[in-house]
Amino acid sequence: SNLLPANKEGDKFVQLYIVQDRGDGVRASDFWHSDLSYLPIPGKATLLYALEIPDGNGGPTEFVDMVDALERLPPAMRTAVLSTKGGHHRKSFTGLVGRPECVHEPTRLTGNGRQALFLSPGYTAGLVGLPKEQSDYVLQRLWGLCFQSSRILTYNWSVGDVIIWDNRSVVHRAKTLDLQPGARRCMLRASVMESFQVAPGI
């Protein structure tokens, strides 16, 4: 991804990126995440514009509603998750991180005033205050409940398509691992940042 200069409109920051995937191994974020959750001021909304899409498998984007995910949690799991906080790191998906970059509450208020889970396999390094083994166990159970196939919305891209989504409400991933050799997928991403600090960096 290439970062373009950020623009500021009033109290809202907009960051522009060129996101490129190729069939020779260069990939975007093929893991569940909420954009920029590893920052004290995370992404609020994302706009994705398809500049170039390969024929056949164009690398669809998948979404899961985290308001629905929170509401579906069994009472014991809900209590366990809501009693802690999430440590976020931009490299969490590698499994090779130590101290998180930022700690957030396990839920986030959406634009319509509802609570959504603010945890993801891609950027949540662990649950703060729990031993690693216990944290890993709770999170793996949580992911199994959240990412059931029947709850996944898949969008198949065409050149010129534009999608805008609320990062406070959903997580997403790009399905690019199956791109054919030589295939090229290029997107323009605009991230609208929160206008206030959600959590302190650590």
Side-chain angles (χ1 to χ4, degrees):
S1 301
N2 299 316
L3 175 63
L4 303 177
N7 299 314
K8 185 177 181 182
E9 298 180 2
D11 59 354
K12 296 180 181 180
F13 284 90
V14 180
Q15 293 185 337
L16 299 178
Y17 292 82
I18 296 293
V19 182
Q20 300 185 67
D21 307 276
R22 299 199 305 270
D24 57 7
V26 178
R27 297 286 186 269
S29 302
D30 202 318
F31 47 81
W32 293 110
H33 65 286
S34 175
D35 285 336
L36 308 173
S37 73
Y38 48 80
L39 298 177
I41 302 177
K44 180 177 181 179
T46 295
L47 179 149
L48 203 59
Y49 171 55
L51 299 172
E52 188 173 355
I53 298 296
D55 294 332
N57 175 21
T61 299
E62 295 183 336
F63 299 89
V64 165
D65 180 351
M66 298 305 275
V67 174
D68 172 71
L70 177 61
E71 293 176 348
R72 288 188 292 109
L73 291 184
M77 173 62 75
R78 184 185 179 100
T79 298
V81 170
L82 297 186
S83 64
T84 183
K85 296 183 179 182
H88 295 247
H89 196 289
R90 72 193 70 203
K91 296 294 185 181
S92 292
F93 64 93
T94 68
L96 302 174
V97 300
R99 187 178 183 182
E101 296 176 279
C102 187
V103 172
H104 288 293
E105 295 293 334
T107 64
R108 190 174 175 189
L109 193 65
T110 69
N112 61 8
R114 301 174 71 187
Q115 293 289 337
L117 274 178
F118 193 42
L119 303 166
S120 70
Y123 291 148
T124 302
L127 298 176
V128 176
L130 296 184
K132 185 178 186 309
E133 288 187 2
Q134 184 179 356
S135 171
D136 290 348
Y137 174 76
V138 172
L139 287 177
Q140 287 306 310
R141 288 192 60 205
L142 180 64
W143 306 148
L145 293 168
C146 290
F147 302 113
Q148 298 172 11
S149 59
S150 62
R151 300 290 178 169
I152 297 173
L153 171 68
T154 301
Y155 188 83
N156 294 297
W157 291 94
S158 296
V159 172
D161 286 354
V162 177
I163 296 181
I164 303 173
W165 66 86
D166 185 347
N167 279 293
R168 300 166 298 181
S169 301
V170 303
V171 294
H172 65 283
R173 66 178 178 181
K175 293 292 290 178
T176 57
L177 294 180
D178 296 328
L179 289 180
Q180 297 300 309
R184 177 180 164 88
R185 178 183 184 270
C186 185
M187 321 289 277
L188 176 65
R189 190 189 87 188
S191 294
V192 180
M193 312 303 290
E194 282 283 14
S195 56
F196 57 90
Q197 184 163 303
V198 175
I202 62 173

